């Protein structure tokens, strides 16, 4: 006979062991970026939608069940934004909380959110800052860290609501810099906590009259136009020049090697990853080349050639400045230019 315990005995052994309570919280956003905050009868403090994970549930399925039961909200539970580990409290058990993105909800979905079965309570859609201000002290840091992870496309590691030194998101930038300069980071935490940047590659094409080729995406802000191009797949070993050629092939159906590098642009908003854009010269497209343009269905709606003087209102101000700088560099044989928010950076010259 085998001395190996039966599956039932193994299951009973682990079921009897002390374990933390596991909960899942929803950072529910609407189409305007507002956060769902709940107030319930019999409780003084507002809260975020949350539920305890039961039996064989995962945090995702537990949160989905809680949203359906409490708010009659049946939408997919999105990506994990943060995990908070809390020491034992009043219940004598440690607690692990997973915070997941839910939404953004459409206007109709947000309007329909209410407590199921007529339970007392209020549903509030608040700006992220207002939500963090109204939540109790134990919840507000989790929300702030989760939203920081959302903005940076990253993840927050918390203990009792405090971002840890190696957390990729949620740690105050000044605290991160101070820890780094003090030499207290190990190599893994240093890599995780360093600020990240997104890299893209675009190509500036013109027609024979000097008009710039733009494409209109089927996503993002309506009526905004872009240069052909997109993100660099650096995790696949792709270089910016290779990405530019691939994006031109995928977006407008032309097999053309990018020309010389005209500019590198740096853009940054606080709380978001920096964006680095490599801009290449695509040359002049004659009528035959323009006639061969084919757009990917559902991704791009249409293309157009636009005179430089007509760019305002079609593209963002930052992109317009980048295009104008690239056209000037191409006409004057200069570059590559160093741009910041589309403006050429002039090096400081010593006396």
């Amino acid at each position: 006979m085998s001395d190996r315990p039966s599956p039932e005995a193994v299951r009973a052994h682990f079921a009897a062991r002390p374990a933390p309570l596991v909960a899942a919280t929803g950072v529910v956003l609407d189409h305007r970026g507002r956060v769902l905050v709940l107030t319930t009868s019999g409780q003084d403090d507002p809260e975020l939608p949350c539920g305890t994970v039961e039996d064989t549930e995962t945090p995702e399925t537990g949160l989905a069940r809680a949203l359906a039961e409490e708010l009659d909200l049946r939408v997919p539970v999105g990506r994990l934004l943060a995990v908070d580990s809390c020491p034992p409290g009043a219940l004598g058990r440690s607690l692990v909380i997973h915070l997941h993105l839910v939404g953004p909800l459409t206007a109709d979905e947000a309007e329909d959110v209410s407590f199921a079965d007529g339970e007392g309570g209020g549903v509030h859609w608040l700006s992220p800052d207002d939500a963090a201000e109204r939540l109790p002290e134990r919840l507000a840091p989790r929300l702030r860290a989760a939203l920081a992870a959302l903005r940076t496309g990253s993840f927050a590691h918390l203990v009792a609501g405090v971002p840890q030194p190696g957390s990729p998101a949620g740690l105050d930038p000044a605290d991160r810099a101070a820890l780094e300069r003090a030499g207290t980071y190990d190599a893994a935490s240093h890599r995780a906590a360093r600020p990240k940047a997104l890299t893209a590659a675009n190509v500036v094409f013109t027609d024979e009259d000097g008009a710039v080729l733009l494409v209109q995406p089927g996503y993002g802000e309506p009526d905004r136009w872009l240069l052909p191009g997109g993100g660099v797949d650096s995790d696949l070993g792709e270089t910016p020049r290779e990405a530019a050629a691939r994006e031109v092939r995928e977006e407008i159906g032309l097999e053309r090697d990018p020309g010389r590098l005209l500019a590198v642009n740096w853009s940054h908003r606080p709380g978001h990853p920096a964006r680095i854009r490599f801009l290449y010269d695509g040359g002049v497209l004659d009528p035959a080349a323009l006639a061969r343009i084919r757009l990917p269905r559902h991704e791009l709606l249409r293309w157009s050639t636009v005179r430089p003087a007509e760019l305002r209102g079609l593209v963002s101000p930052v992109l317009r400045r980048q295009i104008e700088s690239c056209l000037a560099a191409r006409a004057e044989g200069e570059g590559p230019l160093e741009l910041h928010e589309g403006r050429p950076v002039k090096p400081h010259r010593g006396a």
Side-chain angles (χ1 to χ4, degrees), residues 199-205 213-215 217 219 226-236 238-258 276-280 282 285 292-297 299-300 303:
T199 309
N202 294 82
V203 182
V204 179
F205 292 104
L213 176 67
L214 299 177
V215 293
Y219 53 85
L226 304 173
L227 289 171
V232 179
D233 291 335
S234 57
D235 55 342
L236 298 176
E238 188 175 59
T239 67
R241 180 173 291 275
E242 291 168 342
R246 173 182 55 77
E247 289 285 348
V248 166
R249 181 174 61 254
E250 293 176 354
E251 290 196 341
I252 60 176
L254 299 182
E255 291 281 353
R256 296 177 70 97
D257 291 330
I276 303 168
R277 188 192 306 269
F278 290 77
L279 296 118
Y280 294 93
L285 298 177
R292 293 197 301 272
I293 292 178
R294 297 292 182 271
L295 303 181
R297 187 177 300 179
E299 182 181 350
L300 298 178
W303 65 270

Side-chain angles (χ1 to χ4, degrees), residues 3 18 88 136 140 155 224 248 257 316:
D3 292 332
F155 172 80
R224 279 295 191 200
V248 166
D257 291 330
S316 70

Side-chain angles (χ1 to χ4, degrees), residues 159-239:
V159 174
V162 178
Q164 297 304 287
S167 178
L171 189 65
D172 182 87
D175 292 341
R176 188 273 309 161
L179 287 168
E180 185 175 300
R181 289 163 186 161
T184 57
Y185 272 130
D186 60 85
S189 296
H190 179 267
R191 286 194 300 272
R194 283 295 300 166
K196 308 301 188 289
L198 301 177
T199 309
N202 294 82
V203 182
V204 179
F205 292 104
T206 57
D207 64 14
E208 292 178 338
D209 295 323
V212 180
L213 176 67
L214 299 177
V215 293
Q216 185 180 32
Y219 53 85
E221 296 183 44
D223 301 324
R224 279 295 191 200
W225 293 70
L226 304 173
L227 289 171
V232 179
D233 291 335
S234 57
D235 55 342
L236 298 176
E238 188 175 59
T239 67

